[in-house]
């Protein structure tokens, strides 16, 4: 992947041409790809840099969280037998009677505490819960922390997660990460095309120096990391503001939306709809509810969500997103402890499964520590590529000129049979991925305006030369 032309002589290379002198095939497309790659790299790279740095921090935050909050997430001593979940919840409520029970996550491992999540607690963000940690062997409350999201992120990871997602600027801040995800695959793809279009001799690093060496290092690392960048871009867009909404609509129309278990007590319902509700007080015998879910094969880790109202059921769902994924769910009638609806992850539509796995791999939970280390390596690669890209821009300068730009007008030399289909593809992509289409339109508009200004001043950029009229 490159963010600048390949060598000092790139612009002067004479492409294969038609009899009338106009370039053809790749020779016609190369200047356009080169210019797009250059400007996208220069202008979008700052957003990618922030995304890479914060994303790398997030991948590392899982290990940090385990260390910082070990005294609350683990027990002091593993006992012989865990207490009934109802007694553990009662102990949590005695220590923290405020708010309402939003969910309960029984201790999933021998040395792990039980989490009782409370909503409506003063001082806790409306989107978060207060997680009360209970020793499953003694019912001792080991502390309480604010928790965010379905992965149970605690304060350190929550802060880094929101920094990566929106720079702590709320919903408007999400545009930065969507912009980065929208352009990462374009820049990577353009770099790959430019790199492999070069001869093997031009790609070597050994024995080179200066800008050519920088290019060799940049391209080599970019090629190795490109697949990872494509993956991060695609999965990042799936839950972005605008592109994510379009993807969700498309999945729904294709009947590939993520199904949910019906929480209507005594009603098996349609897996495609329904809601578990939230914020209701937990009633009934939690031990019977959990036993009914266990009888349906729901092993740890699970989460118990209380009924939203008197006509709703408990929902018990598996929350393991590491491999193998466990996402089965059941609805249990609070009066009879009978299972009223069952949802199996094996029955999810294929796109729903791929979306689940993609997001979990993107966030570093699918394959645990190995997943997180790979994400950190990709983040470091992207940072290095951006630094090398800007260095090549610096090295393009002549005398006092910093970052000499590429000549304009490359699109004018692309044959219609190539340009028209390319524009059609760009238009469709721009519609579904607005933060790709809008900046691209802005790039073109600015380029045309600047070209017109230069033309009116009596100069025209053509074929890498500047000629007076």
């Amino acid at each position: 992947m490159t963010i600048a032309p390949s060598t000092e002589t790139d612009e002067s290379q004479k492409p294969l041409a038609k009899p009338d002198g106009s370039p053809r095939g790749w020779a016609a497309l190369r200047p356009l790809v080169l210019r797009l790659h250059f400007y996208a790299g220069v202008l979008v790279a700052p957003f990618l840099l922030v995304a890479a740095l914060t994303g790398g921090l997030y991948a590392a935050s899982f290990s940090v969280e385990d260390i910082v909050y070990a005294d609350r997430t683990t027990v002091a001593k593993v006992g012989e037998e865990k207490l009934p979940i109802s007694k553990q919840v009662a102990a949590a409520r005695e220590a923290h009677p405020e708010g309402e029970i939003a969910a309960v996550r029984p201790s999933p491992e021998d040395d792990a505490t039980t989490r009782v999540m409370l909503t409506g607690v003063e001082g806790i963000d409306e989107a978060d819960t207060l997680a009360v940690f209970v020793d499953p062997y003694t019912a001792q409350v080991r502390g309480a922390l604010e928790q965010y999201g379905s992965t149970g992120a605690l304060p350190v990871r929550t802060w880094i997660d929101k920094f990566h997602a929106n720079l702590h600027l709320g919903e408007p801040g999400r545009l930065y990460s969507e912009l980065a995800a929208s352009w990462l695959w374009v820049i990577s793809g353009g770099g790959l095309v430019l790199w492999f279009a070069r001869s093997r001799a031009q790609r070597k690093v050994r024995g080179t120096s200066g800008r050519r060496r920088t290019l060799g290092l940049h391209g080599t690392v970019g090629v190795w990391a490109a697949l990872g960048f494509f993956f991060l871009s695609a999965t990042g867009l799936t839950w972005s503001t605008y592109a994510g909404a379009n993807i969700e609509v498309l999945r729904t129309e294709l009947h590939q939306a993520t199904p949910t278990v019906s929480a209507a007590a005594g009603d098996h319902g349609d897996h495609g709809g329904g809601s578990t509700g939230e914020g209701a007080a937990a009633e009934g015998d939690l031990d019977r509810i959990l036993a009914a879910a266990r009888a349906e094969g729901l092993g740890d880790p699970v989460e118990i969500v209380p009924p939203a109202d008197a006509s709703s059921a408990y929902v018990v769902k598996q929350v393991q997103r590491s491999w193998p994924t466990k996402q089965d769910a059941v609805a249990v009638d609070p009066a009879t402890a009978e299972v009223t609806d069952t949802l199996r992850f094996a029955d999810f539509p294929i796109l729903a499964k791929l979306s689940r796995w993609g997001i979990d791999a993107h966030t570093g939970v699918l394959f645990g520590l190995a997943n997180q280390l790979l994400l950190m390596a990709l983040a470091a690669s992207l940072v290095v590529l951006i630094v090398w890209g800007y260095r090549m821009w610096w090295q393009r300068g002549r005398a006092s000129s910093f970052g000499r730009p590429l000549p304009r007008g490359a699109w004018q030399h692309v044959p219609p049979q190539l340009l028209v289909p390319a524009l059609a593809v760009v238009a469709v992509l721009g519609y579904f991925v607005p933060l790709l289409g809008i900046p691209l339109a802005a790039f073109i508009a600015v380029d045309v305006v600047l070209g017109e200004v230069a033309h009116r001043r009596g100069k025209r950029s053509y074929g890498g030369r500047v000629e007076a009229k």
Side-chain angles (χ1 to χ4, degrees):
M1 183 173 73
T2 58
I3 298 184
S6 54
T7 71
E8 259 75 343
T9 61
D10 277 353
E11 299 93 332
S12 62
Q13 292 174 356
K14 294 183 178 180
L16 294 174
K18 296 179 183 178
D20 62 1
S22 61
R24 60 184 179 184
W26 169 242
L29 283 174
R30 184 182 181 282
L32 184 62
V33 175
L34 189 61
R35 187 166 176 78
L36 175 64
H37 185 64
F38 173 81
Y39 276 110
V42 168
L43 299 175
V44 179
F47 299 96
L48 289 172
L49 182 61
V50 174
L53 292 172
T54 57
L57 283 176
Y58 182 74
S61 68
F62 289 89
S63 298
V64 173
E65 184 177 78
D66 290 341
I67 296 171
V68 172
Y69 303 117
D71 59 331
R72 275 155 280 198
T73 59
T74 58
V75 301
K77 181 181 179 181
V78 176
E80 294 183 359
E81 186 177 355
K82 294 179 180 179
L83 296 171
I85 192 65
S86 57
K87 290 187 177 181
Q88 299 178 49
V89 173
R93 294 302 280 154
E94 183 178 355
H96 293 274
E98 65 272 26
E100 298 178 334
I101 296 178
V104 178
R105 291 191 177 186
S107 166
E109 299 169 348
D110 291 341
D111 63 344
T113 53
T114 291
R115 296 192 190 190
V116 180
M117 283 89 84
L118 307 177
T119 189
V121 178
E122 186 177 354
I124 301 297
D125 190 280
E126 291 184 1
D128 299 348
T129 59
L130 178 69
V132 183
F133 300 89
V134 183
D135 187 320
Y137 303 101
T138 65
Q140 175 191 7
V141 174
R142 296 183 59 79
L145 292 168
E146 188 167 354
Q147 177 178 294
Y148 165 75
S150 57
T151 61
L154 299 177
V156 168
R157 184 154 60 95
T158 297
W159 191 93
I160 297 174
D161 183 7
K162 293 182 178 180
F163 187 34
H164 175 61
N166 59 30
L167 303 178
H168 292 283
L169 297 175
E171 201 62 26
R174 293 181 64 188
L175 298 180
Y176 112 85
S177 56
E178 183 168 355
L179 179 68
S182 298
W183 280 91
L184 179 57
W185 71 273
V186 176
I187 298 173
S188 300
L192 282 177
V193 170
L194 290 168
W195 183 251
F196 284 111
R198 296 168 60 81
S199 66
R200 185 181 298 271
Q202 289 179 314
R203 293 188 229 142
K204 70 176 184 178
V205 177
R206 184 175 299 178
T208 59
S209 61
R211 186 173 176 281
R212 186 170 179 180
R213 179 174 178 79
T214 306
L215 172 65
L217 293 169
H218 181 87
T220 301
V221 173
V223 167
W224 282 103
L227 183 60
F229 294 156
F230 286 133
F231 172 80
L232 291 177
S233 179
T235 53
L237 287 174
T238 58
W239 76 94
S240 60
T241 301
Y242 297 108
N246 289 332
I247 292 171
E248 190 65 29
V249 169
L250 180 62
R251 285 178 52 196
T252 299
E253 292 179 350
L254 294 174
H255 304 290
Q256 294 289 310
T258 300
T260 58
V261 68
S262 172
D267 178 14
H268 288 267
D270 179 5
H271 284 170
S275 171
T276 61
E278 60 182 8
E283 298 176 358
D285 189 341
L286 282 173
D287 302 311
R288 290 194 306 145
I289 300 299
L290 183 58
R294 299 294 195 205
E296 288 294 319
L298 270 68
D300 287 322
V302 298
E303 178 177 286
I304 308 170
V305 179
D309 50 47
S311 62
S312 298
Y314 279 89
V315 171
V316 184
K317 53 186 178 183
Q318 292 179 308
V319 292
Q320 178 170 305
R321 293 186 172 181
S322 57
W323 190 267
T325 300
K326 295 180 180 179
Q327 294 283 292
D328 292 354
V330 296
V332 184
D333 191 309
T336 64
E338 293 182 356
V339 173
T340 59
D341 193 27
T342 302
L343 176 66
R344 302 293 182 186
F345 183 69
D347 297 329
F348 276 33
I350 184 61
L351 291 185
K353 288 181 180 178
L354 291 175
S355 177
R356 176 74 279 148
W357 290 327
I359 291 174
D360 292 340
H362 185 110
T363 55
V365 300
L366 186 60
F367 298 111
L369 182 60
N371 196 164
Q372 295 150 27
L373 291 174
L374 179 59
L375 290 174
M376 285 186 271
L378 284 173
S381 298
L382 186 54
V383 170
V384 169
L385 287 168
I386 291 170
V387 171
W388 279 333
Y390 277 117
R391 177 169 174 75
M392 283 190 292
W393 186 29
W394 175 280
Q395 291 170 326
R396 271 183 59 82
R398 298 281 179 83
S400 61
S401 174
F402 167 70
R404 181 168 53 88
L406 296 170
R408 298 185 189 92
W411 65 273
Q412 298 175 3
H413 308 297
V414 179
Q417 63 269 27
L418 294 178
L419 184 61
V420 173
L423 289 176
V425 171
V426 168
V428 172
L429 286 174
Y431 176 80
F432 284 101
V433 188
L435 290 192
L436 170 64
I438 295 174
L440 180 57
F443 290 166
I444 295 172
V446 170
D447 194 53
V448 169
V449 170
L450 292 178
E452 183 62 22
V453 170
H455 175 74
R456 289 179 180 274
R457 287 179 178 176
K459 294 181 179 180
R460 182 187 301 274
S461 175
Y462 176 75
R465 303 188 306 275
V466 176
E467 299 178 340
K469 287 184 64 178

